[in-house]
Amino acid sequence: MKTALVLNGPNLNLLGTREPAIYGAQTLADVRALCESACAAHGLALDFRQSNHEGELIDWIHEAGRAQAAGTLAGVVLNAGAYTHTSVALHDAIKGAGVTLIELHISNVHAREAFRHHSYISPAARAVMAGFGVQGYALAIAGLAGLAGS
Ligand code: CA2
């Protein structure tokens, strides 16, 4: 059984505590449970992580590249949070790792402030999903399973 790695970036540990009009009322623990169900439905194991540190996210993407090359990983779903709009380093990490990665956003970033309209992740991602709320995580896992043929 292959694994889906779901990575969450800065401040996503605050989900469900503030800004419910934008991000909904569900916590990151709820999102993990939703991802567990989605992975189970698609015959995937789940590895679910969150970090507020750019370098840690980069290390995890490198690890994912090695795991995918070894045949144990289906790919990555990445909500890079605000690093989406700032991080050339994450862009380079995704390219360098050669990993199949789906960029995910809970909110429709294109309907928000102009500074959220540009993503450094998108050119390195296999697919992009935004605006489905936390349900987008399940949709992205289904998409990853389809790409991986599981
Ligand atoms: O819509 C998304 O998923 C975002 O990636 C979320 C990021 C934001 O910077 C991106 O532009 C879009 C923010 C994550 C922080 O989430 C919070 C949740 C509750 C309270 C405060 C922050």
Side-chain angles (χ1 to χ4, degrees), residues 22-89:
I22 298 173
Y23 300 116
Q26 288 184 279
T27 66
L28 198 62
D30 296 329
V31 175
R32 180 194 290 263
L34 184 155
C35 289
E36 287 283 6
S37 299
C39 281
H42 293 284
L44 293 169
L46 174 68
D47 187 346
F48 188 93
R49 308 181 192 180
Q50 188 273 331
S51 178
N52 292 322
H53 304 280
E54 191 174 21
E56 188 163 40
L57 292 165
I58 289 167
D59 287 344
W60 288 344
I61 288 165
H62 292 172
E63 182 189 330
R66 293 190 293 271
Q68 189 167 349
T72 59
L73 188 83
V76 178
V77 174
L78 172 66
N79 185 346
Y83 286 146
T84 302
H85 318 297
T86 64
S87 182
V88 177

Side-chain angles (χ1 to χ4, degrees), residues 8-20 22-24 26 78-85 103-109 112-113 115-117 129-131 133 137:
N8 295 280
N11 298 310
L12 283 157
N13 53 310
L14 300 177
L15 261 190
T17 65
R18 264 176 273 151
E19 306 209 66
I22 298 173
Y23 300 116
Q26 288 184 279
L78 172 66
N79 185 346
Y83 286 146
T84 302
H85 318 297
E103 175 183 357
L104 173 102
H105 301 287
I106 298 166
S107 63
N108 177 0
V109 284
R112 300 182 62 193
E113 303 97 321
F115 67 81
R116 296 185 202 276
H117 296 178
M129 176 168 290
Y137 283 81

Side-chain angles (χ1 to χ4, degrees), residues 99-143:
V99 72
T100 303
L101 183 140
I102 299 180
E103 175 183 357
L104 173 102
H105 301 287
I106 298 166
S107 63
N108 177 0
V109 284
H110 299 287
R112 300 182 62 193
E113 303 97 321
F115 67 81
R116 296 185 202 276
H117 296 178
H118 179 263
S119 167
Y120 284 99
I121 308 300
S122 296
R126 176 69 184 269
V128 181
M129 176 168 290
F132 285 97
V134 296
Q135 199 54 41
Y137 283 81
L139 298 172
I141 287 166

